[in-house]
Amino acid sequence: MLGAMQDWNMRVTHVIDHAAREAPDREIVTRWADGSETRTDWAGIRRDALKMAQALQKLGIKPGDKVASIAMNHSRHLVSWYGVAGMGGVLHTVNPRLFEDQLEYIVNHADDRVVLYDAMFQPIVDKMRDRWPQVEHYICFDSGEQTTAFEDWIGAEDGDFEWVQGDERDPCMICYTSGTTGNPKGVQYEHRSTLMHAMAGLQPSAFNFSAASVMLPVVPMFHAASWGLPYAGAMAGIKFVFSAVNDPAVLHEMMIKEGVTDSAGVPTVWLAHFQYCDKEGIDLPPLRAATIGGSAAPKFMIERLMKNGTRVQHAWGMTETSPIGTVGGPTHDWDHLSFDEKVAKTMKQGRPIFGVELRTVDLDDFTKVLPRDGEASGALQIRGPWIIKRYFKADEDAVTEDGWFNTGDVGILHPDGTLQLTDRTKDVIKSGGEWISSVELENAAVGHPAVAEAACVGMPHPKWDERPVLFVVKKEGTECDADSVVAFLSDKVAKWWLPDAVEFVDDIPHTATGKISKKDLRARFSDYRLED
Amino acid sequence: MLGAMQDWNMRVTHVIDHAAREAPDREIVTRWADGSETRTDWAGIRRDALKMAQALQKLGIKPGDKVASIAMNHSRHLVSWYGVAGMGGVLHTVNPRLFEDQLEYIVNHADDRVVLYDAMFQPIVDKMRDRWPQVEHYICFDSGEQTTAFEDWIGAEDGDFEWVQGDERDPCMICYTSGTTGNPKGVQYEHRSTLMHAMAGLQPSAFNFSAASVMLPVVPMFHAASWGLPYAGAMAGIKFVFSAVNDPAVLHEMMIKEGVTDSAGVPTVWLAHFQYCDKEGIDLPPLRAATIGGSAAPKFMIERLMKNGTRVQHAWGMTETSPIGTVGGPTHDWDHLSFDEKVAKTMKQGRPIFGVELRTVDLDDFTKVLPRDGEASGALQIRGPWIIKRYFKADEDAVTEDGWFNTGDVGILHPDGTLQLTDRTKDVIKSGGEWISSVELENAAVGHPAVAEAACVGMPHPKWDERPVLFVVKKEGTECDADSVVAFLSDKVAKWWLPDAVEFVDDIPHTATGKISKKDLRARFSDYRLED
Ligand SMILES: Nc1ncnc2c1ncn2[C@@H]1O[C@H](COP(=O)(O)O)[C@@H](O)[C@H]1O
C-alpha cells in the first residue's frame, strides 16, 4: 500500500460527477408512458440526484439501506440510480413482471424501506402494500395521485449535498435473478465492480461508446442494471434516449427523431421492431450498432440487421455477471470475412472482455477442465472482478473452491476465445450417456415455416434415460404435423438427436424476463412418458 | 468490504494472462537495430515473461526490487515489462538520451539491481558501470558479446512459474521525469493505477483499441510507459509492430508491410515522417489513427494527417499522470463540423477521459479556482487514480491539501471540457502584471517562412518586470531580420505581446526528451538585459 499514486475510491459517484462536469449539456431525453416528452442533461441528472440523496436522508434512510424501484426506463429512474448510490444506499431494481409471490419475497428479503414506482404499476403497489410490512415510503415517479410525486419530493431540496463516502466494495445496487428454481436470489453490485464493469463496457469491442453515441436502451433498467449502460454511457458522456413504453412504433419514432446510433435489447425486442417495420412497409432505423443479449440472437435477425448496416454485438451474460461476460465485437480478421462468415461468427456469443475469464468443465465431472478446441461442450464457468461471489444473505459462497462461478450454461470455447452457448445445464438432454442440446433442436425447429415457437425438453425414457420431445406452437393460419417437423430437422442435426415426439401446444410458458420456462413446461407435462 | 463480488487484485499480470488466453496468436513483430525481424505473439510474450520472472528470482531479485532497462521498442523489452512485474519487481525504464550525471543519479536513486540494455547502448554501460556500484547484473537484450544475452538467460528456464501476488497498490514500474530543475524525480506506477489507466485508454475517445488494431508505437517504451500502450494493447489483443530504430524509412516500410492502423509519437516523429515521404515523393502511410502528444501538435501536421484520412488523437499528459490526461477524440458534433473547425478543435489538447479531473487556478493565487469559460488562463491542476501523489523517496506529497497535483502547465478549460494548453508556469511571461504566453508567440513565429525553430523567454525589464525575447534559428538558406519577424507576428498576437527583441542563434538547447530547454537557454543568456 504505497500511495505513490493518488487515493481514489472506486465509487459510482465519480461517474455522474464526470458526466456532469465533462458533458453537462449532453441530453437525456424521455418519452413517458402518457406520450409526453421531457429533456434534461447530465448536469440536470446530477443536480436531481443530489436532491434525491438529500431527500432520502430526510426520510431517515442510512448508508446500506435498500430502496426499491418498480419502473420502466426514464430519466427519473436514472436519477435514482445515482441518487441512491450517492447517499450510500442500495437501489433494488424490481422486475414488475414478476409474480406476486416473487414480488413479496424479494422486497421483503431485500429489506426495502422505500419503493419508487411508475404510475402504471400502481396496481402492483396496491396489491402488494400489505404484504410488504417493512416498506415505509412510497414515491411515484409520475405525478402521483395517491402518493408523493418524485418531482415534488426532490423539488423540496436545494441539492447542496456532498456524496456520502464509503468503502469501494460497498454495494450500490441489488438485482434478483428470475430464478428458474427455488426463490429468487439477490445479486449485489458493488461500487468497485460496477465501475470496472462500466469502464470495460466502453471499449470498442463492447459498447464502443464515445461522445458521439446516442443510445436508446430497450433493455429494462431492472434487467441486470440495464447491462451497465447507464454507467458506461455517463463515463463517455453519451446522449441517452429513454422510452417508458416498449411499443415498437414509439421506439422507432424516437430512434429516427433523436438520431439514435445505438440500441440494446433481448431478441424479442428486435423481433417486434422487425414486425412493426414490415407492417408499416418502412426501413429499419439506421442504427450503427445493436447489442443483443439475454437469449441467443437468431440467424435471420443478425442477417437482417447486418444488411441494414448495423453492427450486431451479440452479448452473453447473466444477472450474476453484472452482466457482461462476452461480446461479439469484430475479430481481427473481420474485414476479410464473407457476409456468411460474419453471420456465422456473430451467431456465437462473442469473446470475453478484459476482466472476464471463462472455462468449460465436463458435464459429468466438474473437476475436469475441457480444452478450448471449438468442439468440447461443457458446463460454463466464469471468474472476474464483476462476477458474483456470494448471493445476498447467503450462508456460503456461490463459487467453487478455486473461485469459479457455475453459470448453469453449457457451451463450447473456441481457440480464439469465442464462446458458443449450446444449452443450459438443466435443459441439456442425456440420452444413453451422450448429451443432446435442447437449444440447438429448438433453433433448428423455428426455421420450419409453420413453427412459431418451439421448446425441447428431455423426457424420461425406459431405455435411453432421456429422449428429446419437441413442443411446438404453430404459426397462425398454418398447418403441419410431427412428421413434417422431424423431416425438416433431419438434415440439420445428428440422426440420434431427432426428437422422439413432437407435441403441438397452444402456448409455451415464459419467465418474467421473457425466456421459455422449461421448469413450467416440465411441470405441465409431469406425467408425460415415452415408450421404448 | 462485502465480498458480494469476487476478489480480484488489480495486478498487471491479469493483462498478459488475458492477452495470452484470448489472443494467443495475435502477432508481435519486431524490426531490430541490425535490420533483422522476428515475430512472436501474446502467448510467446507470456511464456517468455514467465521464464524471465524465474530467471530474476534465480538472481536473487525480490518483490519490490528494481530492474532497469535501457532499451528501444522491441518484443524483449515488452517481455521484461511483464516479466519484472510478474515476479513482483519494479521495472525502471531509463531514457538512454539522459546526460551522464542524470543516468548516474537515477539508477543509483532507484537502487537498480539489474540493468537490461540494448547492444547499441553498450557504450553507456561501459561508461557508467563504475558509477553504478549497486548494479549486480548486466544483461544484453541482443546477443551480448560482453554480457549474458537475454535469450540465453531466459532460455535456461522452463517457464513453470506462478506470478507473484501482492497488493494492488504495489509499484510495477518507475519512470523518472527529465527534470527541468534539480534532480530527476521518480514516478512510481502502481499495479492498480496502471490497470485502470489502461482500461480507460482502450475506449473510443482514447486509443480506440479493438482486436483489429495494429499499432506501431513510435513513442519509446522509456517515455512514460509508452503512454500505457503495451498494457492497453494487450487488453484488446491487438497486433504490435515494434521498431528498435526510429528511422522514418524503416517505420514507413513496417507500417505498409504489416498493415499498421495506428501509431503514436511526439510531433518530431511525425515531422520526420512527413519529410521522408516528401523526399521520396510517396504518400503518408494509410493510418486510421495517429496519437500525438508530448508537445503541442502544430496545425500543419494535424491538417496533413487529417487530409490523409487519419484521425488525429491529440493527447496531453505527463510522466506524473501515467500519462493520459486528455485525448482529443471526436466530439459529439464532430460530423457536423467543417474541416477547419475540426482542425481548430484538434489543435487543442482534447478532453479528460473518465478518471481524470482538471481545474485551472489563478497564476497569482493558486487558491482561486478559475471558471471553465474558454477564456480564463491559469495554472493547470489534475486529480485522479493514475495521477501522482508522492515522488519516489520523497518526504512529502506532491499534491495540494485538497489532493490536486500542480502540472506546471498553463491552460484554458472550455465549457465542453476541452483543455487548451498555453504555456508552462515557469515560462509564461509576466509583463506589467499581465501574462503573456511564450508558447503562443513561438507557435506564431514558426509560421514565418524563414524560421526553423523559435523559443521565447521572459527577460528582466526595468519597467515591465519581464518582457518577451524571441530566439530564432533560421531555416538553412533563408534570410530574415528582427523587423520582419515582428511584422509577421503583429496580426497574430496582441500588440503588447510583441517581443522586445528577436535574437538569431545557431541552435536552441533541448532536453533529453527532445523538448526546448528554456532553462538552458536562460542560463546561456543569463547576462541578457533589456532597456527601458
Ligand atoms: N447471447 C445469449 N445467448 C444465449 N443465451 C443467453 C445469452 N445471453 C444470456 N443468455 C442466457 O440468459 C441467462 C442469464 O439470464 P439473466 O440472469 O436473467 O440475465 C444466461 O445464463 C444464459 O442462459
Side-chain angles (χ1 to χ4, degrees), chain A residues 323-336:
Chain A
I324 312 177
T326 58
V327 189
T331 48
H332 71 85
D333 54 354
W334 190 252
D335 290 342
H336 306 289

Side-chain angles (χ1 to χ4, degrees), chain A residues 178 223 293-296 314-319 349 409 421 424 515:
Chain A
S178 32
H223 185 195
S295 324
H314 191 190
W316 165 84
M318 41 198 318
T319 305
Q349 275 75 4
D409 284 321
L421 272 203
R424 301 274 308 156
K515 298 176 191 179

